[in-house]
Coordinates of all heavy atoms in Angstrom, one line a residue:
P20 N 209.4 25.9 -236.0 CA 210.0 27.4 -236.0 C 209.4 28.2 -237.1 O 209.0 27.7 -238.2 CB 211.4 27.1 -236.2 CG 211.6 25.7 -236.6 CD 210.3 24.9 -236.3
W21 N 209.3 29.4 -236.8 CA 208.6 30.3 -237.8 C 209.6 31.0 -238.7 O 209.3 31.5 -239.8 CB 207.9 31.4 -237.0 CG 208.9 32.2 -236.1 CD1 209.0 31.8 -234.7 CD2 209.6 33.3 -236.3 NE1 210.0 32.7 -234.3 CE2 210.3 33.5 -235.1 CE3 209.8 34.0 -237.5 CZ2 211.2 34.7 -235.1 CZ3 210.7 35.1 -237.4 CH2 211.3 35.4 -236.2
W22 N 210.9 31.0 -238.4 CA 211.9 31.8 -239.2 C 212.2 31.3 -240.6 O 212.3 32.0 -241.5 CB 213.2 32.0 -238.4 CG 213.9 30.7 -238.1 CD1 213.8 30.0 -237.0 CD2 214.9 30.0 -238.9 NE1 214.7 28.9 -237.1 CE2 215.3 28.9 -238.2 CE3 215.4 30.3 -240.1 CZ2 216.2 28.0 -238.8 CZ3 216.3 29.4 -240.6 CH2 216.8 28.3 -240.0
P23 N 212.1 30.0 -240.9 CA 212.2 29.5 -242.3 C 211.1 29.9 -243.3 O 211.5 30.4 -244.3 CB 212.2 28.0 -242.2 CG 212.6 27.6 -240.8 CD 212.1 28.7 -240.0
G24 N 209.9 30.1 -242.7 CA 208.9 30.6 -243.5 C 209.2 32.1 -243.8 O 208.8 32.6 -245.0
L25 N 209.5 32.8 -242.8 CA 209.8 34.2 -242.9 C 211.0 34.5 -244.0 O 211.0 35.4 -244.8 CB 210.2 34.9 -241.6 CG 210.5 36.4 -241.6 CD1 209.2 37.1 -242.1 CD2 211.0 36.9 -240.2
A26 N 212.0 33.6 -243.9 CA 213.2 33.7 -244.8 C 212.7 33.4 -246.2 O 213.2 34.2 -247.2 CB 214.3 32.8 -244.4
A27 N 211.9 32.4 -246.4 CA 211.4 32.1 -247.7 C 210.6 33.2 -248.4 O 210.7 33.5 -249.4 CB 210.6 30.8 -247.8
A28 N 209.7 33.8 -247.4 CA 208.9 34.9 -248.0 C 209.7 36.2 -248.2 O 209.4 36.8 -249.3 CB 207.8 35.3 -246.8
A29 N 210.8 36.4 -247.5 CA 211.6 37.5 -247.8 C 212.3 37.3 -249.1 O 212.6 38.2 -249.9 CB 212.6 37.7 -246.7
F30 N 212.9 36.1 -249.3 CA 213.5 35.7 -250.6 C 212.7 35.9 -251.8 O 213.0 36.5 -252.8 CB 214.1 34.3 -250.5 CG 214.8 33.9 -251.6 CD1 216.2 34.5 -251.9 CD2 214.4 33.0 -252.5 CE1 216.9 34.1 -252.9 CE2 215.2 32.6 -253.6 CZ 216.4 33.2 -253.8
A31 N 211.4 35.4 -251.6 CA 210.4 35.5 -252.7 C 210.1 37.0 -253.0 O 209.9 37.5 -254.1 CB 209.1 34.7 -252.4
G32 N 209.9 37.8 -251.9 CA 209.7 39.2 -252.1 C 210.8 39.9 -252.7 O 210.6 40.8 -253.6
G33 N 212.0 39.6 -252.3 CA 213.2 40.2 -253.0 C 213.3 39.8 -254.4 O 213.5 40.7 -255.3
L34 N 213.0 38.6 -254.8 CA 213.0 38.2 -256.2 C 211.9 39.0 -256.9 O 212.1 39.4 -258.2 CB 212.9 36.8 -256.5 CG 214.1 35.9 -255.9 CD1 213.8 34.4 -256.2 CD2 215.3 36.3 -256.9
A35 N 210.8 39.1 -256.4 CA 209.7 39.8 -257.0 C 210.0 41.2 -257.2 O 209.6 41.8 -258.3 CB 208.4 39.6 -256.1
G36 N 210.7 41.8 -256.2 CA 211.1 43.3 -256.3 C 212.1 43.5 -257.4 O 212.0 44.4 -258.3
L37 N 213.0 42.6 -257.6 CA 214.1 42.6 -258.7 C 213.4 42.5 -260.0 O 213.7 43.0 -261.0 CB 215.1 41.5 -258.5 CG 216.1 41.8 -257.3 CD1 217.0 40.6 -257.1 CD2 216.9 43.1 -257.6
S38 N 212.4 41.6 -260.1 CA 211.7 41.3 -261.3 C 210.9 42.5 -261.8 O 210.9 42.8 -262.9 CB 210.7 40.2 -261.2 OG 210.0 39.8 -262.4
L39 N 210.2 43.3 -260.8 CA 209.6 44.4 -261.2 C 210.4 45.6 -261.6 O 210.0 46.4 -262.5 CB 208.8 44.9 -259.9 CG 207.6 44.1 -259.5 CD1 206.9 44.6 -258.2 CD2 206.5 44.1 -260.7
R40 N 211.8 45.6 -261.2 CA 212.7 46.6 -261.6 C 213.3 46.2 -263.0 O 214.2 46.9 -263.5 CB 213.7 46.6 -260.6 CG 213.2 47.4 -259.4 CD 214.3 47.5 -258.5 NE 213.9 48.2 -257.2 CZ 214.5 48.9 -256.4 NH1 215.7 49.3 -256.7 NH2 214.0 49.5 -255.4
G41 N 212.9 45.0 -263.6 CA 213.5 44.6 -264.8 C 214.6 43.8 -264.8 O 215.3 43.5 -265.8
W42 N 215.0 43.3 -263.7 CA 216.3 42.4 -263.6 C 215.9 41.0 -264.0 O 214.7 40.5 -263.6 CB 216.6 42.3 -262.1 CG 218.0 41.6 -261.9 CD1 219.2 42.1 -262.2 CD2 218.0 40.2 -261.4 NE1 220.2 41.0 -261.9 CE2 219.5 39.9 -261.4 CE3 217.2 39.2 -261.0 CZ2 220.0 38.6 -261.0 CZ3 217.7 38.0 -260.6 CH2 219.0 37.7 -260.6
T43 N 216.7 40.4 -264.8 CA 216.4 39.0 -265.3 C 217.7 38.1 -265.0 O 218.8 38.7 -264.7 CB 216.1 39.0 -266.8 OG1 217.3 39.4 -267.4 CG2 214.9 39.7 -267.1
I44 N 217.5 36.8 -264.9 CA 218.6 35.9 -264.7 C 219.4 35.9 -266.0 O 218.8 35.6 -267.0 CB 218.1 34.5 -264.3 CG1 217.2 34.6 -263.0 CG2 219.1 33.5 -264.2 CD1 216.5 33.3 -262.6
P45 N 220.7 36.0 -265.9 CA 221.5 35.8 -267.1 C 221.3 34.4 -267.7 O 221.1 33.5 -267.0 CB 222.9 35.9 -266.6 CG 222.8 36.7 -265.3 CD 221.5 36.3 -264.8
T46 N 221.4 34.4 -269.0 CA 221.1 33.2 -269.8 C 222.0 32.1 -269.4 O 221.5 30.9 -269.2 CB 221.3 33.5 -271.3 OG1 220.4 34.5 -271.6 CG2 220.7 32.3 -272.1
G47 N 223.3 32.2 -269.1 CA 224.2 31.2 -268.8 C 223.8 30.6 -267.5 O 223.8 29.3 -267.4
I48 N 223.5 31.4 -266.5 CA 223.1 30.8 -265.2 C 221.8 30.1 -265.3 O 221.6 29.0 -264.7 CB 223.0 32.0 -264.1 CG1 224.4 32.5 -263.9 CG2 222.4 31.5 -262.9 CD1 224.4 33.8 -263.1
F49 N 220.9 30.6 -266.0 CA 219.6 30.0 -266.2 C 219.7 28.7 -266.9 O 219.1 27.7 -266.4 CB 218.6 30.9 -267.0 CG 217.3 30.3 -267.2 CD1 216.3 30.4 -266.1 CD2 216.8 29.7 -268.4 CE1 215.1 29.9 -266.3 CE2 215.6 29.2 -268.6 CZ 214.7 29.2 -267.4
L50 N 220.6 28.6 -267.9 CA 220.7 27.2 -268.6 C 221.3 26.2 -267.7 O 221.1 25.1 -267.7 CB 221.5 27.5 -269.9 CG 220.8 28.2 -271.0 CD1 221.7 28.4 -272.2 CD2 219.5 27.4 -271.4
A51 N 222.4 26.8 -266.9 CA 223.1 25.8 -265.9 C 222.0 25.3 -264.9 O 222.1 24.0 -264.6 CB 224.3 26.5 -265.2
L52 N 221.3 26.2 -264.4 CA 220.3 25.7 -263.4 C 219.2 24.8 -264.0 O 218.8 23.9 -263.3 CB 219.6 26.9 -262.8 CG 220.4 27.8 -261.8 CD1 219.7 29.0 -261.4 CD2 220.8 26.9 -260.6
D53 N 218.8 25.1 -265.2 CA 217.9 24.2 -266.0 C 218.5 22.8 -266.2 O 217.8 21.8 -266.1 CB 217.5 24.9 -267.3 CG 216.5 24.1 -268.0 OD1 215.5 23.7 -267.3 OD2 216.5 23.9 -269.2
R54 N 219.7 22.8 -266.5 CA 220.4 21.5 -266.7 C 220.5 20.6 -265.4 O 220.2 19.4 -265.5 CB 221.8 21.6 -267.2 CG 222.2 21.0 -268.6 CD 223.5 21.2 -269.1 NE 223.6 22.5 -269.8 CZ 224.6 23.4 -269.6 NH1 225.5 23.2 -268.8 NH2 224.5 24.5 -270.3
V55 N 220.7 21.2 -264.3 CA 220.8 20.5 -263.1 C 219.4 20.1 -262.6 O 219.2 18.9 -262.2 CB 221.5 21.4 -261.9 CG1 221.4 20.8 -260.7 CG2 222.9 21.7 -262.4
F56 N 218.4 21.0 -262.6 CA 217.1 20.7 -262.0 C 216.1 20.1 -263.0 O 215.1 19.6 -262.6 CB 216.5 22.0 -261.4 CG 217.2 22.5 -260.2 CD1 218.0 23.7 -260.3 CD2 217.3 21.7 -259.1 CE1 218.6 24.2 -259.1 CE2 218.0 22.2 -258.0 CZ 218.7 23.4 -258.0
S57 N 216.5 19.9 -264.3 CA 215.6 19.4 -265.2 C 215.6 17.8 -265.0 O 214.8 17.1 -265.5 CB 215.9 19.7 -266.6 OG 217.1 19.0 -267.0
L58 N 216.7 17.2 -264.5 CA 216.8 15.8 -264.2 C 217.1 15.0 -265.5 O 216.9 13.8 -265.5 CB 215.8 15.2 -263.3 CG 215.7 15.8 -262.0 CD1 214.5 15.1 -261.2 CD2 217.0 15.6 -261.2
G59 N 217.3 15.7 -266.6 CA 217.6 15.0 -267.8 C 218.9 14.1 -267.8 O 218.9 13.0 -268.3
W60 N 219.8 14.6 -267.0 CA 221.1 13.8 -266.7 C 220.8 12.5 -266.0 O 221.4 11.5 -266.4 CB 222.1 14.7 -266.0 CG 221.6 15.1 -264.7 CD1 220.9 16.3 -264.3 CD2 221.7 14.3 -263.4 NE1 220.5 16.2 -263.0 CE2 221.1 15.1 -262.4 CE3 222.3 13.2 -263.0 CZ2 221.1 14.6 -261.1 CZ3 222.3 12.8 -261.7 CH2 221.6 13.6 -260.8
L61 N 219.8 12.6 -265.1 CA 219.5 11.4 -264.4 C 218.8 10.4 -265.4 O 219.0 9.1 -265.3 CB 218.6 11.7 -263.2 CG 218.1 10.5 -262.3 CD1 219.3 9.9 -261.7 CD2 217.2 10.9 -261.3
Y62 N 217.9 10.9 -266.2 CA 217.3 10.0 -267.3 C 218.3 9.4 -268.1 O 218.2 8.2 -268.5 CB 216.2 10.9 -268.1 CG 215.6 10.1 -269.2 CD1 214.6 9.2 -268.9 CD2 216.0 10.4 -270.5 CE1 214.0 8.5 -269.9 CE2 215.4 9.6 -271.5 CZ 214.5 8.7 -271.2 OH 213.8 8.0 -272.3
R63 N 219.3 10.2 -268.6 CA 220.3 9.6 -269.5 C 221.1 8.5 -268.8 O 221.5 7.5 -269.4 CB 221.2 10.7 -270.1 CG 220.5 11.6 -271.2 CD 221.4 12.6 -271.8 NE 222.0 13.6 -270.9 CZ 221.5 14.7 -270.5 NH1 220.3 15.0 -270.9 NH2 222.1 15.5 -269.6
L64 N 221.4 8.8 -267.5 CA 222.2 7.9 -266.8 C 221.4 6.6 -266.6 O 222.0 5.5 -266.8 CB 222.5 8.4 -265.4 CG 223.4 7.5 -264.5 CD1 224.7 7.2 -265.0 CD2 223.5 8.1 -263.2
A65 N 220.1 6.7 -266.3 CA 219.3 5.4 -266.1 C 219.2 4.7 -267.4 O 219.2 3.5 -267.4 CB 218.0 5.8 -265.6
D66 N 219.0 5.5 -268.5 CA 218.9 4.8 -269.8 C 220.1 4.0 -270.2 O 220.1 2.9 -270.6 CB 218.6 5.9 -270.9 CG 218.4 5.3 -272.2 OD1 217.6 4.4 -272.4 OD2 219.1 5.7 -273.2
R67 N 221.3 4.6 -270.0 CA 222.5 3.9 -270.2 C 222.7 2.7 -269.3 O 223.2 1.6 -269.8 CB 223.9 4.8 -270.0 CG 223.9 5.9 -271.1 CD 225.2 6.7 -270.8 NE 225.2 7.8 -271.8 CZ 225.8 8.9 -271.6 NH1 226.6 9.2 -270.5 NH2 225.8 9.8 -272.6
L68 N 222.4 2.8 -268.1 CA 222.4 1.7 -267.1 C 221.5 0.5 -267.6 O 221.9 -0.7 -267.6 CB 222.1 2.1 -265.7 CG 223.0 1.6 -264.6 CD1 223.3 2.6 -263.7 CD2 222.1 0.5 -264.0
I69 N 220.2 0.9 -268.0 CA 219.3 -0.2 -268.5 C 219.9 -0.8 -269.8 O 219.8 -2.0 -269.9 CB 218.0 0.5 -268.8 CG1 217.3 0.8 -267.4 CG2 217.1 -0.4 -269.5 CD1 216.1 1.7 -267.5
R70 N 220.5 -0.1 -270.7 CA 221.1 -0.6 -271.9 C 222.2 -1.6 -271.6 O 222.3 -2.6 -272.2 CB 221.6 0.5 -272.8 CG 220.3 1.2 -273.5 CD 221.0 2.3 -274.4 NE 219.9 3.2 -274.8 CZ 219.2 3.0 -276.0 NH1 219.6 2.1 -276.8 NH2 218.3 3.9 -276.4
V71 N 223.0 -1.3 -270.7 CA 224.2 -2.1 -270.3 C 223.6 -3.4 -269.7 O 224.1 -4.5 -270.0 CB 225.2 -1.4 -269.3 CG1 226.1 -2.4 -268.7 CG2 225.9 -0.3 -270.1
V72 N 222.7 -3.4 -268.8 CA 222.2 -4.5 -268.2 C 221.4 -5.4 -269.2 O 221.5 -6.6 -269.2 CB 221.2 -4.2 -266.9 CG1 220.4 -5.3 -266.5 CG2 221.9 -3.5 -265.8
G73 N 220.7 -4.8 -270.1 CA 220.0 -5.4 -271.1 C 221.0 -6.2 -272.0 O 220.8 -7.4 -272.5
A74 N 222.1 -5.5 -272.4 CA 223.1 -6.2 -273.2 C 223.8 -7.4 -272.4 O 224.0 -8.4 -273.1 CB 224.2 -5.2 -273.6
L75 N 224.0 -7.2 -271.2 CA 224.6 -8.3 -270.5 C 223.6 -9.6 -270.3 O 224.0 -10.6 -270.2 CB 225.0 -7.8 -269.0 CG 226.2 -6.8 -269.0 CD1 226.4 -6.5 -267.5 CD2 227.5 -7.6 -269.4
L76 N 222.3 -9.2 -270.3 CA 221.4 -10.3 -270.1 C 220.9 -11.0 -271.5 O 220.5 -12.0 -271.5 CB 220.1 -9.7 -269.4 CG 220.2 -9.4 -267.9 CD1 218.9 -8.8 -267.5 CD2 220.5 -10.6 -267.2
Y77 N 221.3 -10.2 -272.5 CA 220.9 -10.6 -273.8 C 221.8 -11.8 -274.2 O 221.3 -12.8 -274.9 CB 221.0 -9.5 -274.8 CG 220.7 -9.8 -276.3 CD1 219.3 -10.1 -276.6 CD2 221.6 -9.9 -277.2 CE1 219.0 -10.4 -277.9 CE2 221.3 -10.3 -278.5 CZ 219.9 -10.5 -278.8 OH 219.6 -10.8 -280.2
L78 N 223.2 -11.7 -274.0 CA 224.0 -12.7 -274.4 C 223.7 -14.2 -273.9 O 223.6 -15.1 -274.7 CB 225.4 -12.4 -273.9 CG 226.5 -13.4 -274.4 CD1 226.7 -13.5 -275.8 CD2 227.9 -13.0 -273.8
P79 N 223.4 -14.4 -272.6 CA 223.0 -15.8 -272.1 C 221.7 -16.2 -272.7 O 221.5 -17.5 -273.0 CB 223.0 -15.7 -270.7 CG 223.4 -14.3 -270.2 CD 223.6 -13.5 -271.4
I80 N 220.8 -15.3 -272.9 CA 219.5 -15.7 -273.5 C 219.7 -16.2 -274.9 O 219.2 -17.3 -275.3 CB 218.5 -14.5 -273.4 CG1 218.1 -14.3 -272.0 CG2 217.2 -14.8 -274.3 CD1 217.3 -13.0 -271.9
V81 N 220.4 -15.4 -275.8 CA 220.7 -15.8 -277.1 C 221.5 -17.1 -277.1 O 221.2 -18.1 -277.9 CB 221.5 -14.8 -277.9 CG1 222.0 -15.2 -279.2 CG2 220.5 -13.6 -278.0
L82 N 222.4 -17.3 -276.2 CA 223.3 -18.5 -276.2 C 222.4 -19.7 -275.9 O 222.6 -20.8 -276.5 CB 224.3 -18.4 -275.2 CG 225.4 -19.4 -275.1 CD1 226.2 -19.4 -276.4 CD2 226.3 -19.2 -273.9
L83 N 221.5 -19.6 -275.0 CA 220.8 -20.7 -274.5 C 219.5 -21.0 -275.5 O 219.0 -22.1 -275.5 CB 220.1 -20.6 -273.1 CG 221.2 -20.5 -272.0 CD1 220.5 -20.2 -270.7 CD2 221.9 -21.9 -272.0
E84 N 219.2 -20.1 -276.2 CA 218.0 -20.2 -277.3 C 218.6 -20.6 -278.7 O 217.8 -20.8 -279.5 CB 217.2 -19.0 -277.4 CG 216.4 -18.8 -276.1 CD 215.4 -17.6 -276.3 OE1 215.5 -16.9 -277.3 OE2 214.5 -17.4 -275.4
S85 N 219.9 -20.6 -278.8 CA 220.5 -21.0 -280.1 C 220.4 -22.5 -280.3 O 219.7 -23.2 -279.6 CB 221.9 -20.5 -280.2 OG 222.7 -21.3 -279.2
R86 N 220.9 -23.0 -281.4 CA 220.8 -24.4 -281.8 C 221.5 -25.3 -280.7 O 221.1 -26.3 -280.5 CB 221.5 -24.7 -283.2 CG 220.8 -24.0 -284.3 CD 221.4 -24.3 -285.6 NE 221.0 -25.6 -286.1 CZ 221.6 -26.1 -287.1 NH1 222.6 -25.4 -287.9 NH2 221.3 -27.3 -287.5
G87 N 222.6 -24.8 -280.2 CA 223.3 -25.7 -279.1 C 222.9 -25.3 -277.8 O 223.5 -25.6 -276.7
G88 N 221.6 -24.7 -277.6 CA 221.1 -24.3 -276.4 C 220.9 -25.5 -275.3 O 221.2 -25.3 -274.1
V89 N 220.5 -26.6 -275.7 CA 220.3 -27.8 -274.9 C 221.6 -28.2 -274.4 O 221.8 -28.5 -273.2 CB 219.6 -28.9 -275.6 CG1 219.5 -30.1 -274.8 CG2 218.2 -28.5 -276.0
L90 N 222.7 -28.3 -275.2 CA 224.0 -28.7 -274.8 C 224.6 -27.7 -273.8 O 225.3 -28.0 -272.9 CB 225.0 -28.8 -276.0 CG 224.6 -29.9 -276.9 CD1 225.5 -29.9 -278.1 CD2 224.7 -31.2 -276.3
W91 N 224.4 -26.3 -274.0 CA 224.9 -25.4 -273.1 C 224.2 -25.6 -271.7 O 224.8 -25.4 -270.7 CB 224.7 -24.0 -273.6 CG 225.7 -23.5 -274.5 CD1 225.6 -23.3 -275.9 CD2 227.1 -23.2 -274.3 NE1 226.7 -22.9 -276.6 CE2 227.7 -22.8 -275.5 CE3 227.9 -23.2 -273.1 CZ2 229.1 -22.6 -275.6 CZ3 229.2 -22.8 -273.2 CH2 229.7 -22.5 -274.4
T92 N 222.8 -25.8 -271.8 CA 222.2 -26.0 -270.6 C 222.6 -27.2 -269.7 O 222.9 -27.2 -268.5 CB 220.8 -26.2 -271.0 OG1 220.2 -25.0 -271.6 CG2 219.9 -26.2 -269.6
L93 N 222.9 -28.3 -270.5 CA 223.4 -29.5 -269.8 C 224.8 -29.3 -269.2 O 225.1 -29.7 -268.1 CB 223.5 -30.6 -270.7 CG 222.1 -31.2 -271.3 CD1 222.3 -32.3 -272.3 CD2 221.4 -31.8 -270.0
L94 N 225.7 -28.4 -270.0 CA 227.0 -28.1 -269.4 C 226.9 -27.3 -268.2 O 227.6 -27.5 -267.2 CB 227.9 -27.4 -270.5 CG 229.2 -26.8 -270.1 CD1 230.1 -28.0 -269.8 CD2 229.8 -26.0 -271.1
L95 N 226.0 -26.3 -268.2 CA 225.9 -25.4 -267.0 C 225.3 -26.1 -265.8 O 225.7 -25.9 -264.7 CB 225.0 -24.2 -267.3 CG 225.6 -23.2 -268.3 CD1 224.6 -22.1 -268.7 CD2 226.9 -22.5 -267.7
L96 N 224.4 -27.1 -266.1 CA 223.9 -27.9 -265.0 C 225.0 -28.8 -264.4 O 224.9 -28.9 -263.1 CB 222.7 -28.7 -265.6 CG 222.0 -29.6 -264.6 CD1 221.3 -28.7 -263.5 CD2 220.8 -30.4 -265.2
T97 N 225.8 -29.4 -265.3 CA 226.7 -30.3 -264.8 C 227.8 -29.4 -263.9 O 228.2 -29.8 -262.9 CB 227.5 -30.9 -266.0 OG1 226.5 -31.6 -266.8 CG2 228.6 -31.8 -265.5
L98 N 228.2 -28.2 -264.5 CA 229.1 -27.3 -263.7 C 228.5 -26.9 -262.3 O 229.2 -26.9 -261.3 CB 229.5 -26.2 -264.5 CG 230.4 -26.4 -265.7 CD1 230.5 -25.2 -266.5 CD2 231.7 -27.0 -265.2
L99 N 227.2 -26.7 -262.3 CA 226.5 -26.2 -261.1 C 226.5 -27.5 -260.1 O 226.8 -27.2 -259.0 CB 225.1 -25.7 -261.5 CG 224.3 -25.3 -260.2 CD1 224.9 -24.1 -259.6 CD2 222.9 -25.0 -260.6
L100 N 226.2 -28.6 -260.5 CA 226.2 -29.7 -259.7 C 227.6 -30.1 -259.2 O 227.7 -30.5 -258.0 CB 225.6 -31.0 -260.4 CG 224.1 -30.9 -260.7 CD1 223.6 -32.2 -261.6 CD2 223.2 -30.8 -259.4
S101 N 228.5 -30.0 -260.0 CA 229.9 -30.2 -259.6 C 230.3 -29.2 -258.4 O 230.9 -29.5 -257.5 CB 230.8 -30.1 -260.7 OG 232.2 -30.1 -260.3
L102 N 229.9 -27.9 -258.7 CA 230.3 -26.8 -257.8 C 229.5 -27.2 -256.4 O 230.1 -27.1 -255.3 CB 229.9 -25.5 -258.3 CG 230.0 -24.3 -257.3 CD1 231.5 -24.0 -257.1 CD2 229.4 -23.1 -257.8
L103 N 228.3 -27.6 -256.5 CA 227.6 -27.8 -255.2 C 228.0 -29.0 -254.5 O 228.0 -29.0 -253.3 CB 226.0 -28.0 -255.6 CG 225.2 -26.8 -256.0 CD1 223.9 -27.1 -256.4 CD2 225.2 -25.7 -254.9
S104 N 228.5 -30.1 -255.3 CA 229.1 -31.2 -254.5 C 230.4 -30.9 -253.9 O 230.7 -31.4 -252.8 CB 229.2 -32.4 -255.5 OG 230.3 -32.1 -256.4
Q105 N 231.1 -30.1 -254.5 CA 232.4 -29.5 -253.9 C 232.2 -28.8 -252.6 O 232.9 -29.0 -251.6 CB 233.2 -28.7 -254.9 CG 233.9 -29.5 -256.0 CD 234.9 -30.5 -255.6 OE1 235.7 -30.3 -254.7 NE2 234.9 -31.7 -256.3
L106 N 231.2 -27.8 -252.7 CA 230.8 -27.0 -251.5 C 230.3 -27.9 -250.4 O 230.6 -27.7 -249.3 CB 229.9 -26.0 -251.9 CG 230.4 -24.9 -252.7 CD1 229.3 -23.9 -253.1 CD2 231.5 -24.1 -252.1
N107 N 229.5 -29.0 -250.7 CA 229.0 -29.9 -249.7 C 230.1 -30.8 -249.1 O 230.1 -31.0 -247.9 CB 228.0 -30.9 -250.4 CG 227.2 -31.6 -249.3 OD1 227.1 -31.2 -248.2 ND2 226.5 -32.7 -249.8
S108 N 231.1 -31.1 -249.9 CA 232.2 -31.9 -249.3 C 233.0 -31.1 -248.4 O 233.7 -31.5 -247.4 CB 233.0 -32.6 -250.4 OG 233.7 -31.6 -251.2
L109 N 233.2 -29.8 -248.6 CA 234.0 -28.9 -247.8 C 233.3 -28.6 -246.5 O 233.9 -28.2 -245.5 CB 234.3 -27.6 -248.5 CG 235.2 -27.6 -249.7 CD1 235.4 -26.3 -250.4 CD2 236.6 -28.2 -249.2
G110 N 231.9 -28.7 -246.4 CA 231.2 -28.3 -245.3 C 231.1 -29.4 -244.3 O 230.4 -29.3 -243.3
G111 N 231.9 -30.5 -244.4 CA 231.9 -31.5 -243.4 C 231.0 -32.6 -243.7 O 230.7 -33.5 -242.8
G112 N 230.5 -32.8 -244.9 CA 229.5 -33.8 -245.1 C 230.1 -35.1 -245.6 O 231.2 -35.5 -245.4

């Protein structure tokens, strides 16, 4: 369809005409549009999410690399094997 191109051209022409007459976008509106379309909010959200996931992953790594890491590993392995044997016995085995 040809009408979206015509609408965009008319809108751009209207803005160009207003600009030639000295009309400017008010500062408050410009700053609000800049905040939305700059995607800085998305960057901050992604940064916070990465920090939370990193903090959650840091605890087990530190725990397993500490002095008692071998004991924690053996405990987790024992719990995992116990869980798997329970699931296997429930499955009709």
Side-chain angles (χ1 to χ4, degrees):
W21 55 271
W22 62 268
L25 182 64
F30 183 70
L34 287 179
L37 287 174
S38 176
L39 289 175
R40 292 182 181 210
W42 185 80
T43 58
I44 298 174
T46 306
I48 294 174
F49 183 76
L50 290 176
L52 289 174
D53 185 46
R54 240 181 272 133
V55 170
F56 291 116
S57 69
L58 298 180
W60 58 271
L61 183 63
Y62 175 75
R63 287 188 299 275
L64 178 69
D66 184 51
R67 286 183 186 158
L68 221 135
I69 289 170
R70 287 178 189 265
V71 167
V72 169
L75 289 175
L76 292 177
Y77 181 73
L78 180 65
I80 290 171
V81 168
L82 189 65
L83 293 176
E84 287 185 355
S85 64
R86 294 180 79 190
V89 175
L90 293 175
W91 280 109
T92 304
L93 291 174
L94 175 67
L95 291 174
L96 183 62
T97 305
L98 290 173
L99 182 64
L100 289 174
S101 172
L102 178 67
L103 289 176
S104 69
Q105 291 293 324
L106 291 176
N107 191 22
S108 68
L109 290 177

